[in-house]
Amino acid sequence: MRYLVLLLTVFQLQAQEVLFEGNVYDHKTKEPIPYVNLSFLNTLKGTSTDDDGHFYIDVPKPYLEKQLHISSLGYKDTIVVANDIYKTKKFHLIEESFELDEVVVTQSLGNSDVLNPVSSYSLTSGFSSSSTPWVLALYFPNIGAQKKFVNKVTVFFQKNKNFKRPSSKFRIRIYGVDSKTKKPSIDLLRKSIVLETQTDKDYVSIDLKALNIKVPKEGIYVGLEWLFVPYNWYTTTTIHPLTNKKIVEDRFAPTFGGVYNKNQNYKAMVYGMGNWTDFTVKSKDKSKNFIPAISLKVSKE
């Protein structure tokens, strides 16, 4: 009987979930902000606002006492106690202020390189996401003395039979490099650019020449940010290896492609729960790193 009481107690604790929902607005304009990521720190729970700036997620009631990390490109990263938003059902983000670098007008950018060239045939596996929004970033070194500018980014995807919609959405990020930690630092891309995948294509490219993003001497990170919106949601079903019972798991598209690369200069990192951490997966012979299938075209002066 004692064990039964304990089991019932555990079940009751697990069942005490609340609907955490609300809207995120621009502090100045009062307009809703789409695709804001909200993550409960030190947990694997999170969500994103939809096109109308609305979010919702079921969480255990104790999570309301946890810190919530709220982030969106172009706005100040903010950490608040989740219960404050739970009570008011809304939050206002403050736009990030920054000084624009002098715009560099270049007359000759005919000389260009493609870093980490990828083909669809080289994809071996992929990166998918569940539980909390993540940013997957790949480091590109800046080798050589010439000034370089970001020209084009190409992202490859893996086919996913479980995702039935014709497209999915994600955000592209471009970061500088912290000179001490070598981790991603400030956003070099000052506007939110949301891209769509198409199920009949295994890659998407974006031309960024017009933004005149100079590659810092320390190099650059290209980041892929999952958006936890209903548009991207799907489920997967697996069989538990011990109980043989079906396990249904929520997941979010897209599935970013991955390749093995011998060049040790390329480094993958992931951002989640408020921190950047190394992502290191080696090939069986330890000679290659598994990295996101991102190609970066840079133009030289």
Side-chain angles (χ1 to χ4, degrees), residues 263-298:
N263 191 333
Q264 300 299 312
N265 286 322
Y266 296 116
K267 172 184 178 181
M269 299 199 75
V270 291
Y271 182 81
M273 297 179 286
N275 294 296
W276 283 104
T277 55
D278 290 316
F279 178 89
T280 305
V281 173
K282 297 278 188 181
S283 58
K284 289 183 179 180
D285 62 3
K286 308 298 182 184
S287 66
K288 302 176 183 178
N289 289 330
F290 186 63
I291 60 175
I294 305 171
S295 292
L296 174 65
K297 184 178 182 180
V298 295

Side-chain angles (χ1 to χ4, degrees), residues 200-266:
D200 58 343
K201 289 187 177 181
D202 52 14
Y203 71 92
V204 63
S205 294
I206 180 168
D207 192 323
L208 299 173
K209 287 195 300 291
L211 299 181
N212 289 310
I213 301 173
K214 183 180 177 182
V215 179
K217 64 178 182 179
E218 296 88 0
I220 200 168
Y221 277 93
V222 176
L224 312 174
E225 185 174 17
W226 277 281
L227 300 173
F228 274 35
V229 294
Y231 191 87
N232 290 343
W233 171 83
Y234 67 99
T235 61
T236 60
T237 302
T238 57
I239 303 298
H240 193 282
L242 298 178
T243 64
N244 288 324
K245 291 184 178 180
K246 289 185 178 180
I247 300 174
V248 179
E249 184 180 29
D250 291 330
R251 302 196 74 84
F252 291 85
T255 300
F256 297 112
V259 294
Y260 282 100
N261 194 308
K262 286 185 177 180
N263 191 333
Q264 300 299 312
N265 286 322
Y266 296 116

Side-chain angles (χ1 to χ4, degrees), residues 45-259:
K45 276 282 189 179
T47 187
S48 305
T49 60
D50 60 19
D51 292 314
D52 300 316
H54 181 72
F55 67 88
Y56 62 92
I57 184 175
D58 290 320
V59 297
K61 192 172 183 179
Y63 274 45
L64 298 180
E65 305 304 321
K66 291 184 177 292
Q67 290 185 316
L68 185 74
H69 179 234
I70 308 173
S71 64
S72 182
L73 191 59
Y75 293 87
K76 291 183 178 179
D77 274 18
T78 307
I79 296 177
V80 297
V81 177
N83 201 35
D84 293 343
I85 297 179
Y86 179 73
K87 292 177 180 177
T88 62
K89 307 298 184 189
K90 60 184 178 180
F91 188 78
H92 292 82
L93 275 178
I94 298 175
E95 189 175 8
E96 187 176 24
S97 60
F98 57 91
E99 293 183 5
L100 285 172
D101 294 332
E102 181 182 356
V103 175
V104 179
V105 180
T106 55
Q107 297 299 322
S108 176
L109 290 176
N111 188 11
S112 61
D113 286 335
V114 176
L115 308 180
N116 191 37
V118 176
S119 71
S120 302
Y121 300 104
S122 61
L123 300 180
T124 56
S125 187
F127 300 83
S128 60
S129 184
S130 65
S131 303
T132 189
W134 299 92
V135 180
L136 174 66
L138 180 62
Y139 170 70
F140 292 88
N142 186 356
I143 299 173
Q146 287 179 290
K147 288 183 180 179
K148 303 180 186 71
F149 295 85
V150 175
N151 186 313
K152 181 189 292 185
V153 174
T154 301
V155 182
F156 289 81
F157 309 94
Q158 270 226 319
K159 301 293 183 182
N160 187 338
K161 64 180 181 180
N162 294 302
F163 185 70
K164 306 300 184 183
R165 295 185 182 88
S167 63
S168 61
K169 299 180 180 182
F170 70 99
R171 181 155 44 212
I172 192 85
R173 306 289 292 264
I174 307 290
Y175 302 97
V177 181
D178 188 285
S179 58
K180 293 182 179 179
T181 66
K182 307 303 179 184
K183 296 179 180 181
S185 58
I186 62 172
D187 282 297
L188 301 179
L189 187 61
R190 294 294 184 172
K191 61 186 296 185
S192 178
I193 298 180
V194 175
L195 303 179
E196 281 199 37
T197 70
Q198 301 295 328
T199 53
D200 58 343
K201 289 187 177 181
D202 52 14
Y203 71 92
V204 63
S205 294
I206 180 168
D207 192 323
L208 299 173
K209 287 195 300 291
L211 299 181
N212 289 310
I213 301 173
K214 183 180 177 182
V215 179
K217 64 178 182 179
E218 296 88 0
I220 200 168
Y221 277 93
V222 176
L224 312 174
E225 185 174 17
W226 277 281
L227 300 173
F228 274 35
V229 294
Y231 191 87
N232 290 343
W233 171 83
Y234 67 99
T235 61
T236 60
T237 302
T238 57
I239 303 298
H240 193 282
L242 298 178
T243 64
N244 288 324
K245 291 184 178 180
K246 289 185 178 180
I247 300 174
V248 179
E249 184 180 29
D250 291 330
R251 302 196 74 84
F252 291 85
T255 300
F256 297 112
V259 294

